[in-house]
Amino acid sequence: MEKLVFQNGVKKDQLLSAANDYHGGVIVELKEPMDPNVFQNMLKASLSKWRLQGMKGVWIKLPIELVNLVETAVKEGFWYHHAEPHYLMLVYWIPETENTIPANASHRVGIGAIVLTDKRELLVVQENSGRLKGTAVWKIPTGIVEEGEDIFEGAIREVKEETGIDTEFMEVLAFRQTHKALFGKSDLFFICMMRPLSFDIQKQDLEIEAAQWMPIEEYAALPFVQKHGFFKYIKDLCLVKAERNYQGFTPVPITSFFDDSTSFLYCNKDGLDQESSASSSLKEDLEIETCKTILI
C-alpha cells in the first residue's frame, strides 16, 4: 500500500499536485475551485516538500475562475510572471541562489510587406488609425504576427486583410529591432518581399484610409520617404529588388530534435544550395583523385 505520509509528516492529499519541469522546478496547474485557507495550507506544505527535494522554480497556473487564490499565493512570496486572457502565471524561487527563472516574453513581432508587380508598382496604404492617421503618408502594409503564426503566414494575412490582395511570400529582406515599444517590450519588425497573385484592391475601411498601386519611382520621390530613415531603406530595398540585385532569406522547414514538430529557418537558400553543390563537387573530385592514386 502506498504511504500517505512524507518524511516531513505531511499527507499526500494535503499537497498540491505538480509536474516536474525540465529545469529542476515544478509546475502546478489548478483547475478546480478551492477555499483560500485550504489552498494556503497546501501551498505551505508543498513548498516545504519541494524545498527538501531541492526543487528550484515553482510555477502556478491559475485560470481566471480561480482569481480569488492570487492574493494567497502573493502573500506566500509568489509574483506575477505573465497573464493571458484565460489564466495568470505566478512564480516562486526556492533556493537561496540567483534567480534563473526566465523573464516573460520580451519581444513583439511585426511585419511590413513589400508587394511589387512586374510593372514596378508598389502596393501602398494610408492608415486610418494609429500615429499616421490623418497624415496622408503612404506606406507599405504592416501588422503584428499572431500567436502561433509564422512570419510568412502573418505577412500574407495582413496584406489580405488590409488590401484584399492575395500574395505569395518570397523572402525576408531585412529586419529592425527597437526597444521600449508597446508596454515597454522590444519590437522585431521583418520586411518581407511578396509577389502579388491578384491586383483588385479591396481596402479594409476600419484600419485603412486609402490603398493603391504606386510606381516605385513615384514612391521614392515622396518627401516623407526621402526624409525618414526607415522609409528610405524600404524605398532602397524596393528599388534594388526591382533590379533583382538583392538576395534575402526564405523559410526552410526543419524538424525539431525533441518532438518532431516543424518550424522554419530563414536563410539564403540559394547560397546554401550553391555551397552544398560545391561541397558535393569537391567530394566527387576527391573520390576521383583517390581512385586514380589507387590505380597508379
Side-chain angles (χ1 to χ4, degrees):
M1 179 180 294
E2 182 183 5
K3 293 183 179 180
L4 295 179
V5 180
F6 290 95
Q7 292 179 353
N8 60 358
V10 178
K11 292 183 179 180
K12 185 174 181 179
D13 60 2
Q14 294 177 336
L15 297 170
L16 294 171
S17 178
N20 293 343
D21 63 20
Y22 293 110
H23 305 284
V26 294
I27 302 172
V28 177
E29 187 169 353
L30 297 178
K31 297 180 179 180
E32 300 297 329
M34 186 182 302
D35 180 85
N37 292 325
V38 173
F39 174 62
Q40 183 179 38
N41 292 333
M42 295 180 72
L43 183 56
K44 285 179 177 291
S46 298
L47 285 172
S48 297
K49 172 198 170 186
W50 296 328
R51 186 172 284 107
L52 289 173
Q53 292 178 331
M55 293 298 180
K56 298 177 180 179
V58 180
W59 303 77
I60 295 184
K61 184 177 180 180
L62 280 176
I64 195 169
E65 295 83 5
L66 303 185
V67 67
N68 64 310
L69 302 180
V70 172
E71 183 178 1
T72 301
V74 171
K75 286 182 176 179
E76 292 302 319
F78 282 77
W79 66 89
Y80 299 146
H81 186 268
H82 67 272
E84 295 293 340
H86 303 294
Y87 75 87
L88 175 71
M89 187 70 78
L90 299 164
V91 291
Y92 182 92
W93 183 251
I94 295 178
E96 295 181 3
T97 59
E98 181 182 357
N99 175 8
T100 60
I101 292 177
N104 184 23
S106 60
H107 284 68
R108 181 182 66 167
V109 178
I111 61 92
I114 293 178
V115 186
L116 197 59
T117 71
D118 293 336
K119 297 179 180 179
R120 298 172 64 91
E121 292 179 328
L122 177 68
L123 181 63
V124 292
V125 300
Q126 290 182 353
E127 292 190 345
N128 196 30
S129 62
R131 294 182 179 181
L132 293 179
K133 178 181 179 180
T135 62
V137 169
W138 290 104
K139 57 182 281 294
I140 60 175
T142 58
I144 302 300
V145 176
E146 297 178 351
E147 184 176 353
E149 184 178 53
D150 287 299
I151 292 170
F152 67 89
E153 293 175 328
I156 293 172
R157 175 186 54 76
E158 284 290 349
V159 173
K160 179 67 174 179
E161 287 179 358
E162 291 191 358
T163 67
I165 298 297
D166 295 308
T167 58
E168 176 187 1
F169 180 90
M170 303 302 291
E171 54 194 0
V172 170
L173 300 181
F175 71 91
R176 178 199 66 184
Q177 183 182 30
T178 57
H179 305 289
K180 302 299 180 181
L182 186 65
F183 302 121
K185 301 296 184 180
S186 297
D187 187 275
L188 283 174
F189 186 83
F190 292 85
I191 302 174
C192 305
M193 186 69 197
M194 319 289 288
R195 185 172 71 88
L197 301 178
S198 63
F199 302 91
D200 183 21
I201 295 175
Q202 302 291 330
K203 75 177 182 69
Q204 182 191 58
D205 294 334
L206 180 62
E207 296 182 6
I208 303 302
E209 178 67 27
Q212 71 173 63
W213 294 104
M214 180 181 291
I216 297 179
E217 291 73 17
E218 181 180 338
Y219 175 77
L222 294 174
F224 187 84
V225 171
Q226 293 184 342
K227 179 180 179 181
H228 194 287
F230 186 59
F231 283 76
K232 177 183 178 297
Y233 274 104
I234 291 177
K235 174 261 296 182
D236 291 341
L237 287 169
C238 290
L239 291 172
V240 75
K241 282 304 295 182
E243 301 300 330
R244 306 187 186 281
N245 293 326
Y246 185 93
Q247 184 68 48
F249 297 132
T250 55
V252 177
I254 57 175
T255 302
S256 170
F257 171 79
F258 300 101
D259 56 14
D260 293 329
S261 62
T262 300
S263 60
F264 291 89
L265 173 70
Y266 290 79
C267 61
N268 185 326
K269 191 172 183 301
D270 289 343
L272 285 178
D273 290 342
Q274 291 173 11
E275 177 66 23
S276 178
S277 177
S279 298
S280 298
S281 178
L282 177 61
K283 181 179 178 181
E284 292 176 359
D285 291 342
L286 289 173
E287 290 176 347
I288 292 174
E289 290 300 323
T290 301
C291 289
K292 286 182 179 179
T293 301
I294 293 174
L295 291 174
I296 293 173

